[in-house]
């Protein structure tokens, strides 16, 4: 009896020690997040050192300290989990991107964005895959199978434009920002869809029908994911408009918007769709309809809440990547041949540079053929910036690499360890080196005077417009026309109008449909919700 009691007590003690260790780890991690925010504020003037590089540097320094105190056994506080990344950290980042995006610029360049993000990613994936197959075998890496090579193509085709977007300003360079931002979202979705398709297809029996099946599956996922996000956003707008939840509680309005946004992502994952595309378009629809149906206090709260969650998630990701880069278990497998790991990383960087150039410049040329106005065309300098912006790799690449080459964050195979360490090396090098060179490159290619004049023109247009709030006219942001000017545009009356001025024609058709049907049903700009009334005000009414 006494032995059983002591055994139970020892188990309780071990459980307590484990829980206490988790609490200590979380305390340190939260303190590091606070340090990242403070240092990011102090380094605000030196924008070539952005928050991503700051978080990576703090993570690396923390990893070194943990290695010293643990005797070289561990370098991180938390175990990396793909579920943690894809289910909890990625949704708020993508949703806030859709919620805050300048929709006018995004949809004007939608075809170019899809070309870069979807077609371009497929081209880059093909080049990286075939390049890796040819070069890695000559380097003596023979244990990788066809599925691994295809997965490598998807892993390193996934861009991370966070560093560049922190430097670019969507008011100063609206075209560049919309192209880089839009391509990044579509690229991430395409890379994840590619990766999942590779794992689901039987690669032992490849025939011509597999390519058609893959293309059909991709189009289905793209369209279905987009429609699911749109429908979820419209449902949230309809519920809030009809129920006037803000009469009783603004907290319920904010909570419902957040939960509906997260529900759209989880529904997409449940239906094996692209959660990235779904939550992105849900954010666009919510900012156009739902956001205007809530009370004024809820608008301010939601706007800053979504931005805060996104910022914390981004900082969390880069901080952990910095610590995980020094995971001694993975480096121990390649310690006997460090030259191989460096060579693999160099090859992958070269393939990334080549694969991105192979589609940015040709697709930009094709895009310019469809543009009549010189201001709408992508100049060569802008093409260089877009090419450079997509060279950085980040958390999506690491998450996909862990999914392919590890089991629960650990690996026992030398080839898998080489791929993990090479992925970490590519992410660190591209984020730090390419990220630090981004600001000087933009200053050199897009002179400050030119960006300042562009900003001044935009400010003049906004000041002459009836509405100065950037969120009050979501689909007209960064437009060259004010609300009154667009009403005076010639209404499209024939196919010739559509072919000669497709952007203005489609916009006029959309405004007519939006004002005549969508806004009366789902609310939006112009809808004035019932303001919440306090109990004191209610008593004064009687």
């Amino acid at each position: 009896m006494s032995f059983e009691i002591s055994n139970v007590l020892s188990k309780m003690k071990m459980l307590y020690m484990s829980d206490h260790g988790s609490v200590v780890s979380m305390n340190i991690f939260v303190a590091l997040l606070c340090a990242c925010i403070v240092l990011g504020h102090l380094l605000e003037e030196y924008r070539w050192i952005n928050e991503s590089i700051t978080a990576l540097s703090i993570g690396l320094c923390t990893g070194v300290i943990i290695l010293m105190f643990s005797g070289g056994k561990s370098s991180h506080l938390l175990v990396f989990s793909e579920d943690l990344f894809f289910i909890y950290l990625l949704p708020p980042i993508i949703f806030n991107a859709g919620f805050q995006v300048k929709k006018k610029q995004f949809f004007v360049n939608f075809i170019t964005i899809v070309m870069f993000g979807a077609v371009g990613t497929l081209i880059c994936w093909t080049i990286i895959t075939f390049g890796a197959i040819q070069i890695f075998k000559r380097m003596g890496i023979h244990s990788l199978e066809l599925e691994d090579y295809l997965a490598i193509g998807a892993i390193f085709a996934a861009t991370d434009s966070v560093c560049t977007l922190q430097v670019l300003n969507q008011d100063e360079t609206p075209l560049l920002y919309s192209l880089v931002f839009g391509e990044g979202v579509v690229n991430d979705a395409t890379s994840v869809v590619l990766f999942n398709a590779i794992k689901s297809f039987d690669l032992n029996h490849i025939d011509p029908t597999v390519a058609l099946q893959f293309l059909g599956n991709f189009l289905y996922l793209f369209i279905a994911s987009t429609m699911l996000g749109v429908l979820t956003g419209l449902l949230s707008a309809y519920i809030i408009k009809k129920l006037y939840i803000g009469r009783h509680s603004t907290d319920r309005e904010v909570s419902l918007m957040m939960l509906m946004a997260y529900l759209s992502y989880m529904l997409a994952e449940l239906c094996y769709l692209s959660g990235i595309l779904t939550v992105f378009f849900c954010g666009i629809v919510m900012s156009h309809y739902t956001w205007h149906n809530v009370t004024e206090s809820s608008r301010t709260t939601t706007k800053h809440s979504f931005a805060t969650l996104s910022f914390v998630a981004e900082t969390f990701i880069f901080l952990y990547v910095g610590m995980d880069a020094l995971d001694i278990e993975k480096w121990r497998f390649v310690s006997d041949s460090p030259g191989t790991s460096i060579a693999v990383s160099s090859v992958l960087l070269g393939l990334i540079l080549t694969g991105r150039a192979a589609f940015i410049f040709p697709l930009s040329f094709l895009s310019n053929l469809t543009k009549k106005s010189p201001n709408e065309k992508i100049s060569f300098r802008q093409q260089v910036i877009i090419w450079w912006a997509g060279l950085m790799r980040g958390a999506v690449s690491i998450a996909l690499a862990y999914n392919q080459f590890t089991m629960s964050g650990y690996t026992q195979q030398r080839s898998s360890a080489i791929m993990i360490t090479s992925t970490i090396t590519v992410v660190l090098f591209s984020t730090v080196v390419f990220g630090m060179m981004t600001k000087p490159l933009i200053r050199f290619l897009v002179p400050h005077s030119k960006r300042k004049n562009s900003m001044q023109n935009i400010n003049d247009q906004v000041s002459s417009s009836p509405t100065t709030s950037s969120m009050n006219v979501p689909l007209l942001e960064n437009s060259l026309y004010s609300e009154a000017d667009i009403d005076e545009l010639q209404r499209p009356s024939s196919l010739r109008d559509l072919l000669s001025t497709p952007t203005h024609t489609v916009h006029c058709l959309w405004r007519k449909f939006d004002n005549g049907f969508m806004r009366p049903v789902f609310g939006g700009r112009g809808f004035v919700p019932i303001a919440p009334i306090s109990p004191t005000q209610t008593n004064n009414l009687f």
Side-chain angles (χ1 to χ4, degrees):
M1 184 67 178
S2 60
F3 174 77
E4 292 180 357
I5 294 175
S6 61
N7 191 23
V8 171
L9 292 176
S10 62
K11 289 182 179 180
M12 292 178 63
K13 185 177 180 180
M14 292 177 61
L15 181 61
Y16 173 78
M17 293 295 292
S18 176
D19 292 340
H20 182 72
S22 299
V23 172
V24 172
S25 298
M26 288 305 301
N27 272 277
I28 297 176
F29 213 96
V30 172
L32 291 174
L33 286 173
C34 295
C36 291
I37 295 173
V38 173
L39 284 178
H41 169 72
L42 296 177
L43 297 174
E44 184 71 22
E45 296 181 0
Y46 306 96
R47 289 303 297 168
W48 54 277
I49 303 180
N50 51 54
E51 282 88 354
S52 302
I53 298 176
T54 303
L56 275 176
S57 302
I58 293 177
L60 284 170
C61 295
T62 305
V64 171
I65 296 174
I66 296 175
L67 273 175
M68 294 173 58
F69 278 95
S70 64
K73 295 181 180 180
S74 177
S75 65
H76 48 72
L77 300 169
L78 304 172
V79 177
F80 185 86
S81 171
E82 299 90 41
D83 292 338
L84 172 67
F85 174 74
F86 283 107
I87 296 180
Y88 300 108
L89 298 178
L90 191 59
I93 297 175
I94 302 299
F95 176 80
N96 183 67
F99 194 77
Q100 303 286 354
V101 67
K102 301 287 187 180
K103 286 167 276 296
K104 175 64 177 179
Q105 280 291 330
F106 179 82
F107 285 107
V108 163
N109 301 290
F110 184 73
I111 296 178
T112 305
I113 288 172
V114 172
M115 286 173 58
F116 286 163
V119 179
T121 302
L122 292 175
I123 295 174
C124 188
W125 167 69
T126 303
I127 292 176
I128 294 175
T129 298
F130 280 96
I133 291 175
Q134 298 299 322
I135 299 176
F136 287 175
K137 289 183 178 179
R138 296 180 182 179
M139 296 173 59
I141 303 176
H142 300 287
S143 57
L144 295 177
E145 300 179 355
L146 178 60
E147 178 184 341
D148 295 324
Y149 285 111
L150 294 174
I152 288 172
I155 290 169
F156 291 98
T159 66
D160 184 12
S161 304
V162 173
C163 291
T164 305
L165 292 178
Q166 290 174 350
V167 175
L168 286 173
N169 188 298
Q170 61 179 333
D171 293 324
E172 295 180 358
T173 54
L175 176 61
L176 270 178
Y177 190 95
S178 64
L179 291 177
V180 172
F181 164 78
E183 185 220 341
V185 174
V186 179
N187 169 275
D188 287 344
T190 305
S191 300
V192 174
V193 170
L194 265 175
F195 185 83
N196 292 332
I198 291 167
K199 296 182 74 70
S200 62
F201 277 104
D202 184 10
L203 300 176
N204 296 323
H205 303 86
I206 299 179
D207 54 61
T209 60
V210 173
L212 294 176
Q213 184 180 359
F214 176 81
L215 180 61
N217 186 38
F218 174 78
L219 292 176
Y220 163 74
L221 287 174
F222 190 93
I223 297 174
S225 301
T226 301
M227 293 306 300
L228 179 59
V230 171
L231 291 176
T232 308
L234 291 177
L235 178 62
S236 68
Y238 185 81
I239 292 175
I240 291 180
K241 177 178 179 293
K242 288 297 182 182
L243 297 182
Y244 299 114
I245 297 177
R247 287 182 300 176
H248 305 293
S249 173
T250 57
D251 297 337
R252 292 175 183 171
E253 281 186 325
V254 176
S255 301
L256 185 61
M257 286 187 67
M258 289 184 173
L259 292 175
M260 289 290 286
Y262 189 67
L263 179 64
S264 69
Y265 184 89
M266 296 309 298
L267 283 175
E269 295 297 317
L270 180 65
C271 300
Y272 301 100
L273 300 175
S274 172
I276 296 176
L277 279 176
T278 298
V279 76
F280 174 72
F281 281 97
C282 180
I284 291 179
V285 173
M286 278 193 173
S287 67
H288 187 57
Y289 295 109
T290 312
W291 190 81
H292 295 278
N293 295 343
V294 300
T295 58
E296 190 65 31
S297 59
S298 295
R299 294 178 188 179
T300 304
T301 303
T302 52
K303 184 178 179 180
H304 291 289
S305 297
F306 294 144
T308 301
L309 290 174
S310 174
F311 173 76
V312 172
E314 289 178 2
T315 307
F316 184 98
I317 290 172
F318 282 104
L319 181 63
Y320 182 82
V321 168
M323 283 188 289
D324 193 63
L326 299 176
D327 188 0
I328 200 67
E329 291 294 330
K330 302 177 182 65
W331 290 102
R332 185 177 289 120
F333 283 97
V334 298
S335 59
D336 58 337
S337 56
T340 302
S341 180
I342 295 175
V344 170
S345 302
S346 302
V347 168
L348 290 171
L349 281 170
L351 291 174
I352 290 171
L353 289 165
T354 306
R356 185 151 183 86
F359 75 85
I360 287 294
F361 299 105
L363 293 182
S364 297
F365 174 76
L366 294 177
S367 175
N368 288 339
L369 292 178
T370 63
K371 306 288 179 63
K372 293 185 178 181
S373 173
N375 295 329
E376 296 178 351
K377 293 184 177 181
I378 309 172
S379 67
F380 179 74
R381 293 189 174 190
Q382 291 174 330
Q383 293 175 32
V384 173
I385 294 177
I386 296 171
W387 168 74
W388 186 269
L391 295 178
M392 284 166 278
R393 298 298 180 264
V396 174
S397 296
I398 288 184
L400 296 180
Y402 270 74
N403 189 292
Q404 178 68 25
F405 297 106
T406 67
M407 293 293 294
S408 300
Y410 298 98
T411 180
Q412 299 294 328
Q413 296 182 0
R414 180 176 177 274
S415 60
S416 298
I418 289 176
M419 293 313 306
I420 292 295
T421 54
S422 299
T423 303
I424 293 173
T425 303
V426 169
V427 169
L428 289 177
F429 182 87
S430 62
T431 301
V432 176
V433 177
F434 295 161
M436 292 179 66
M437 295 174 62
T438 298
K439 184 67 172 180
L441 180 68
I442 294 176
R443 284 182 174 177
F444 175 74
L445 295 177
V446 185
H448 180 69
S449 59
K450 188 180 298 184
R451 289 184 283 122
K452 186 176 181 180
N453 292 336
S454 175
M455 184 64 182
Q456 182 64 37
N457 292 336
I458 292 174
N459 289 335
D460 293 341
Q461 294 157 9
V462 171
S463 62
S464 62
S465 176
T467 306
T468 58
S469 175
S470 62
M471 295 295 289
N472 284 342
V473 193
L475 293 183
L476 300 179
E477 292 171 356
N478 286 335
S479 175
L480 298 179
Y481 303 96
S482 66
E483 186 82 1
D485 294 334
I486 288 182
D487 290 335
E488 295 175 0
L489 285 175
Q490 182 179 0
R491 297 296 180 182
S493 58
S494 64
L495 182 61
R496 180 180 300 176
D497 296 331
L498 178 61
L499 296 178
S500 61
T501 57
T503 301
H504 300 156
T505 303
V506 171
H507 186 74
C508 287
L509 291 174
W510 162 251
R511 277 183 52 82
K512 186 176 181 180
F513 174 74
D514 192 28
N515 292 330
F517 175 75
M518 298 297 290
R519 285 177 179 166
V521 177
F522 299 104
R525 183 176 55 86
F527 174 75
V528 181
I530 297 178
I533 301 176
S534 65
T536 306
Q537 293 173 319
T538 305
N539 294 332
N540 293 335
L541 293 177
F542 299 97

